[in-house]
Amino acid sequence: MNTKLLKISAVTASAALLASVFTGCAAEDSQKENNNYVPYDSNYNYEFIPEQNQNSDETNSAADKISENSPAEVNPNEEYSPVTEQGFKNPYEFPLSTFSADVDTASYANVRRIIEDAQAIPDGAVRVEEFINYFDYDYPAPTDGELFGRCVEIADCPWNSANKLMLVGIKAKEIMTQETPPSNLVFLIDASGSMAGYNKLPLVQGAFSMLAEELSENDRISIVTYANNSEIVLAGESGKNKDKILEALYSIKTGGNTNGEAGIRSAYELAEKCFINGGNNRVIIATDGDLNVGASTENELVSIIETKRESGIYLSVLGFGTDNIKDNKLEALADNGNGNYSYIDSVAEAERALVSEMKGNLYTVANDVKIQVEFNPSTVESYRLLGYDNRIMEAHDFTDSSKDAGEVGSGHTVTALYEISLKSSSSFDGIPLEFASEHTNNSSDVNTSARTELCKISVAYKDPASESAQQQCTSCLYGQECFTESPSDNFRLAGAAAEFAMLLKNSEYKMDSSYGQVMETINSINSENEKISELRDLVSTASALYK
């Protein structure tokens, strides 16, 4: 499905949802406008096609825009945090690589929007790990008594023939539908003047309408808005009263400044008031991040949200809109508020984040998830972690249960890639050696006690259901058995996503990467789904745009 088409027509989708709000309302409301409400149907194809005679610039395809202007700059009001890539490290000096798990996907969806709008990629917009983790991977499910299943695979590095690529994947246990705890959700909606665009408040209302349709009588829904001040629109309503929830949603209008601080404080106070013991207590903020009243800097927002994360209330951040999106602030909120961050640019993306992947995004099964890889200096010459550049932790943080890290939801997968250079006597400084065999004939040059494993991978986490603040940890050793000459679809997909990201950010480590090679890798994947199909189209567009 063409997401650009869906984005263009998001206003049509939202209008259709808006027009359908009130059918189920009480009789006295039957004469109100928009009285043909039809519940959201996950089996219905929500693809809205513009009229054929519409000549607006917004309906131009990315290809048309490329031929006219290649490429335009994004609006300077958009803000991104700088990202410094991790370089290669020697395991003798740095044997441990430690990072926080990250299940955010906003970077991929936002950059997709930028590519489809035929714009240049801003510095800091591409976060490699979010490109990788946007996609679905078929990792082994955890065995009985385990919280995570694991997958480690090593094969040739597509963009550097001298090195190998190592995939590290974990899959969280999945909560069955009948086991999902009741939810206490607070929809925190930015209703300021900057949210007036077709791809902002109308899309927010459509997105939350989809989520509301998935809730039950055991769930509690609240709605808080903020502009000049915060306002409670709905408090603790039962999930069964969908008409009332939708009526409240579509009563929201835009205007005024953006007092996000007041909104955040009100939303958390309401979440605490409606708190469900043992339940899924969560604030979901929908905004472009353009805060201009009260606390508005990254540091100020982090200071506020850090005081809230110990309350047992999680945070989901949904970014909307273009031209003034504050990606830096939204990422900071999610990273420091026990949360996740998604960017919603279309009806399809809203459905993915809040309906089809709802359990993974809204039901947390592991808190403060950290991953630590110890590399064996006897077998590994050097290594480089791709992405996670703003998630790197000190080695001693891994055993410190007080250190905040990422949350992982039901059935979620987390994937990391390492580019590794293996110890070898067949070459020196990249030059093949004629007498390579002689380097191992002298027993005095061989460390016979050297261990042959490549690495040890450890995962630390806290159980949200446990009253103990102590973390749990599991570790496994991996070696030659992980090598393959025929990499799996998981490996190919993650590698393609990472290589695509490196090209878009013009990474100094991209080596022989090319859009053509990314396309070849995608086409070699045996499985197919909408995300992979979309990636193929996106690579094709990018290859023409960023020559």
Side-chain angles (χ1 to χ4, degrees):
M1 186 181 295
N2 188 312
T3 56
K4 177 61 178 173
L5 176 61
L6 284 170
K7 180 170 66 175
I8 291 169
S9 56
V11 65
T12 311
S14 298
L17 288 166
L18 175 59
S20 65
V21 170
F22 298 116
T23 292
C25 291
E28 62 266 28
D29 293 329
S30 63
Q31 299 305 314
K32 291 183 178 180
E33 283 187 317
N34 310 320
N35 59 352
N36 296 312
Y37 166 63
V38 177
Y40 168 75
D41 183 354
S42 61
N43 295 316
Y44 183 75
N45 180 14
Y46 283 86
E47 183 172 6
F48 301 91
I49 302 176
E51 294 181 7
Q52 295 299 318
N53 61 356
Q54 188 172 354
N55 294 317
S56 168
D57 289 341
E58 289 184 329
T59 63
N60 290 345
S61 67
D64 293 335
K65 289 187 176 183
I66 290 171
S67 64
E68 296 168 4
N69 296 293
S70 180
E73 296 295 323
V74 299
N75 191 303
N77 290 326
E78 295 190 12
E79 294 180 5
Y80 301 91
S81 293
V83 176
T84 302
E85 282 188 283
Q86 299 291 304
F88 281 94
K89 295 187 176 181
N90 184 331
Y92 276 114
E93 297 180 52
F94 304 98
L96 297 171
S97 171
T98 309
F99 61 96
S100 166
D102 186 4
V103 294
D104 295 349
T105 59
S107 176
Y108 177 84
N110 183 44
V111 171
R112 176 183 63 201
R113 179 266 303 180
I114 293 170
I115 294 173
E116 290 175 342
D117 285 347
Q119 296 176 321
I121 308 296
D123 291 341
V126 176
R127 294 184 286 275
V128 177
E129 73 279 7
E130 295 185 28
F131 272 60
I132 297 170
N133 285 308
Y134 182 85
F135 296 95
D136 306 317
Y137 300 96
D138 186 21
Y139 296 146
T143 57
D144 290 344
E146 297 290 331
L147 185 61
F148 292 106
R150 299 174 182 230
C151 175
V152 177
E153 187 174 349
I154 304 171
D156 291 337
C157 180
W159 53 85
N160 187 350
S161 59
N163 289 344
K164 301 296 181 182
L165 194 64
M166 182 174 79
L167 176 148
V168 177
I170 61 174
K171 179 181 176 65
K173 73 174 182 180
E174 185 170 358
I175 302 175
M176 297 297 100
T177 301
Q178 63 273 20
E179 298 173 345
T180 55
S183 291
N184 163 37
L185 302 180
V186 179
F187 299 164
L188 175 56
I189 299 175
D190 181 351
S192 64
S194 68
M195 290 291 288
Y198 75 89
N199 56 356
K200 294 187 178 181
L201 182 59
L203 190 53
V204 170
Q205 291 166 321
F208 280 141
S209 295
M210 293 180 185
L211 178 55
E213 290 293 347
E214 300 298 310
L215 303 176
S216 73
E217 61 182 358
N218 297 321
D219 301 317
R220 299 173 187 171
I221 307 301
S222 303
I223 300 174
V224 175
T225 63
Y226 63 92
N228 292 326
N229 297 292
S230 65
E231 178 184 353
I232 296 176
V233 180
L234 196 68
E237 191 64 41
S238 169
K240 72 177 181 180
N241 296 330
K242 302 187 190 308
D243 296 325
K244 188 171 182 179
I245 295 168
L246 295 174
E247 183 178 0
L249 266 175
Y250 285 102
S251 70
I252 300 169
K253 308 297 180 185
T254 60
N257 293 315
T258 315
N259 193 341
E261 177 184 357
I264 290 170
R265 294 189 187 280
S266 293
Y268 273 90
E269 287 174 6
L270 191 52
E272 291 170 0
K273 181 178 179 181
C274 300
F275 195 88
I276 299 175
N277 290 323
N280 171 37
N281 298 280
R282 184 176 294 269
V283 171
I284 307 177
I285 180 173
T287 177
D288 58 13
D290 191 10
L291 310 177
N292 52 31
V293 176
S296 57
T297 68
E298 284 182 60
N299 289 338
E300 289 172 335
L301 292 170
V302 167
S303 178
I304 293 172
I305 212 69
E306 281 182 336
T307 65
K308 304 295 184 183
R309 70 182 179 211
E310 302 304 324
S311 63
I313 298 169
Y314 294 94
L315 176 70
S316 289
V317 178
L318 305 180
F320 287 83
T322 62
D323 295 336
N324 65 335
I325 184 76
K326 308 302 186 208
D327 176 81
N328 54 341
K329 296 177 182 178
L330 300 184
E331 184 192 14
L333 281 173
D335 288 354
N336 293 280
N338 281 359
N340 48 56
Y341 173 29
S342 303
Y343 178 79
I344 309 297
D345 62 338
S346 65
V347 175
E349 190 65 21
E351 194 276 341
R352 182 199 70 80
L354 296 178
V355 179
S356 62
E357 298 180 13
M358 178 178 72
K359 285 197 294 185
N361 288 329
L362 299 187
Y363 295 97
T364 300
V365 297
N367 289 339
D368 296 335
V369 180
K370 310 167 194 172
I371 299 173
Q372 186 170 78
V373 181
E374 179 184 354
F375 286 95
N376 179 3
S378 295
T379 55
V380 177
E381 185 78 39
S382 61
Y383 66 88
R384 184 177 81 88
L385 174 62
L386 278 67
Y388 295 92
D389 301 298
N390 56 3
R391 293 282 193 158
I392 300 298
M393 306 181 76
E394 297 292 336
H396 61 264
D397 290 341
F398 185 78
T399 57
D400 187 346
S401 60
S402 69
K403 293 294 183 180
D404 182 59
E407 278 60 49
V408 175
S410 168
H412 248 151
T413 60
V414 179
T415 303
L417 292 177
Y418 283 92
E419 185 177 348
I420 58 176
S421 173
L422 299 178
K423 285 284 182 70
S424 172
S425 58
S426 62
S427 65
F428 178 79
D429 200 21
I431 306 299
L433 297 176
E434 177 70 25
F435 303 107
S437 60
E438 302 305 308
H439 285 266
T440 57
N441 285 347
N442 187 343
S443 60
S444 63
D445 294 336
V446 179
N447 181 1
T448 57
S449 64
R451 293 177 58 168
T452 59
E453 299 96 337
L454 289 174
C455 62
K456 181 178 78 169
I457 299 176
S458 304
V459 179
Y461 62 92
K462 296 176 186 173
D463 183 353
S466 173
E467 295 182 0
S468 171
Q470 296 302 309
Q471 63 184 21
Q472 303 178 47
C473 180
T474 59
S475 300
C476 292
L477 293 171
Y478 298 92
Q480 300 290 333
E481 75 282 356
C482 299
F483 281 97
T484 178
E485 294 183 358
S486 301
S488 66
D489 283 353
N490 289 329
F491 187 97
R492 296 174 193 270
L493 180 56
E499 186 172 358
F500 185 39
M502 287 195 297
L503 284 165
L504 293 174
K505 70 186 286 144
N506 194 26
S507 167
E508 64 175 294
Y509 302 102
K510 65 182 181 181
M511 299 295 287
D512 297 328
S513 297
S514 70
Y515 292 110
Q517 183 168 268
V518 174
M519 189 68 80
E520 287 181 11
T521 302
I522 296 171
N523 290 336
S524 72
I525 297 173
N526 296 312
S527 58
E528 183 74 15
N529 57 44
E530 284 189 6
K531 289 184 179 180
I532 295 175
S533 177
E534 176 193 81
L535 177 61
R536 184 182 293 108
D537 292 342
L538 210 57
V539 172
S540 177
T541 301
S543 66
L545 182 60
Y546 309 117
K547 295 180 180 178

